[in-house]
Amino acid sequence: MTTKVFGHKAPDTDSTGSPIAWAWYLSEIKGTPAKACLLGEPNTEAAFVIEHWGLEKPEIIADVAEGESVVIVDTNNPAELPASINSANVIQIIDHHKLTGGIETTSPIDITMRPLACTATIMYDLMGDDVAKAPRGVKGAMLSCILSDTLEFRSPTTTDHDRAVCEALAKDLGVDMHELATKMFEAKSDVSAFSDAELLRMDSKEYAVGGTSFRVSVLETTAPKMILDRKASLMGAMETVAEEDGVDQVLLFVVDILNEEATLLVPNDLVKGVAEKSFDATVAGDTVVLPGVMSRKKQIIPSLKV
């Protein structure tokens, strides 16, 4: 039986590239047949990475079968995984997020969770000397994952080790990291083809605070004006998305990669209160700029208050 390797829903670069890298490692090094899968269409940056490195786009799956062997990467949150995940045979989890809980397994499994900026960094360590055997595309995917998750080392989640691994991969590949990151961020910033609802769900995670449930959406971009020009229609779509997704409110943070700040859209008093209590911000209109806020994992989610 072939083991399926996948990350979270609404796949970003790490949840696209890391399954590709780990499926290669399991199949070619460990002798365990495996294939990368996605839980939805990859975002524009991830799609660019697939094309840039000449990789095959992983199969998109909607669910998993009972007893099917799977490896989960870049998440451990059941809300971000297939509905039937607890009936599958989860054999391994590799992640860099906080422990959420809720995944049930039929037997003890191999879990690696480390406080690093990117799942691909953890995989690089787990592969050890076998990284040298990886095809150029696999190494390129891992490099791209780290550049993406660290926002080219701008994110506060970046560690010295993430940077060192990134530099080692770039040297091995003969790649200019800044040039690659620039192309990736340009691809990520082109969201003109997406509807408001698609943008609100594109890079989002569900999170509850004090009995209030949120869909916390983050759009990282080098062209924030393209998104903020749509703020009226985006705020108008929030109510529909929240109702369809079973949450109380959508929070949308537009992260300006180059200026290292986030703009939070403020459609109502609930979000105004969240902004003021969570980030000590003064809200005077329908947006508020949060200087230095770059990371949902390290700065946004831990700070949320209602």
Side-chain angles (χ1 to χ4, degrees):
M1 180 181 292
T2 299
T3 298
K4 291 181 177 177
V5 185
F6 50 79
H8 54 71
K9 295 176 182 177
D12 56 11
T13 297
D14 197 20
S15 264
T16 301
S18 285
I20 290 172
W22 201 246
W24 166 81
Y25 179 68
L26 290 178
S27 296
E28 302 302 324
I29 303 300
K30 291 299 185 180
T32 300
K35 71 172 185 176
C37 297
L38 297 175
L39 303 184
E41 286 291 342
N43 69 14
T44 51
E45 182 187 76
F48 165 81
V49 168
I50 290 172
E51 182 178 0
H52 180 80
W53 293 108
L55 298 163
E56 181 179 348
K57 179 182 173 182
E59 176 190 359
I60 296 175
I61 61 172
D63 207 349
V64 290
E66 183 176 354
E68 187 172 29
S69 295
V70 304
V71 171
I72 300 168
V73 305
D74 195 31
T75 186
N76 68 90
N77 185 350
E80 299 176 347
L81 293 166
S84 303
I85 192 63
N86 283 337
S87 67
N89 177 28
V90 180
I91 60 176
Q92 187 176 28
I93 298 174
I94 306 172
D95 192 18
H96 66 123
H97 295 92
K98 74 181 184 74
L99 184 63
T100 300
I103 294 178
E104 298 179 8
T105 62
T106 56
S107 60
I109 68 169
D110 183 351
I111 300 178
T112 305
M113 298 179 68
R114 295 178 183 171
L116 295 167
C118 183
T119 309
T121 307
I122 302 173
M123 291 180 176
Y124 182 95
D125 293 342
L126 294 176
M127 291 180 187
D129 293 341
D130 290 322
V131 170
K133 302 174 185 176
R136 182 175 178 83
V138 168
K139 293 177 182 176
M142 295 171 71
L143 170 63
S144 300
C145 289
I146 303 170
L147 285 173
S148 177
D149 268 11
T150 64
L151 295 177
E152 196 186 3
F153 315 129
R154 295 176 178 88
S155 172
T157 62
T158 306
T159 68
D160 290 341
H161 189 54
D162 290 294
R163 183 187 291 267
V165 169
C166 209
E167 291 173 346
L169 285 166
K171 182 179 180 180
D172 183 14
L173 292 166
V175 170
D176 183 313
M177 290 188 295
H178 178 67
E179 182 179 331
L180 175 59
T182 298
K183 291 178 180 178
M184 288 169 53
F185 298 156
E186 286 175 352
K188 180 186 293 189
S189 300
D190 184 5
V191 296
S192 56
F194 295 94
S195 69
D196 293 326
E198 287 171 331
L199 284 182
L200 293 174
R201 294 186 174 105
M202 181 176 289
D203 185 357
S204 64
K205 296 180 184 292
E206 293 182 21
Y207 188 72
V209 184
T212 301
S213 57
F214 295 101
R215 176 167 292 285
V216 185
S217 302
V218 172
L219 292 176
E220 299 163 342
T221 178
T222 56
K225 186 177 185 298
M226 180 181 295
I227 298 169
L228 294 175
D229 281 349
R230 296 171 58 175
K231 68 178 180 180
S233 61
L234 283 166
M235 288 190 292
M238 286 180 177
E239 184 175 349
T240 300
V241 169
E243 182 177 349
E244 291 177 351
D245 294 359
V247 298
D248 296 312
Q249 179 65 52
V250 177
L251 300 177
L252 176 59
F253 296 81
V254 181
V255 173
D256 185 332
I257 297 171
L258 300 182
N259 289 319
E260 301 187 20
E261 63 186 22
T263 298
L264 171 62
L265 272 61
V266 184
N268 52 42
D269 287 341
L270 172 60
V271 180
K272 179 180 179 181
V274 169
E276 293 175 341
K277 295 173 186 177
S278 305
F279 305 102
D280 195 25
T282 300
V283 181
D286 57 8
T287 63
V288 61
V289 176
L290 308 172
V293 173
M294 303 281 284
S295 169
R296 174 173 46 211
K297 180 176 68 173
K298 191 166 186 177
Q299 295 172 300
I300 295 175
I301 293 292
S303 300
L304 289 181
K305 300 180 182 67
V306 293

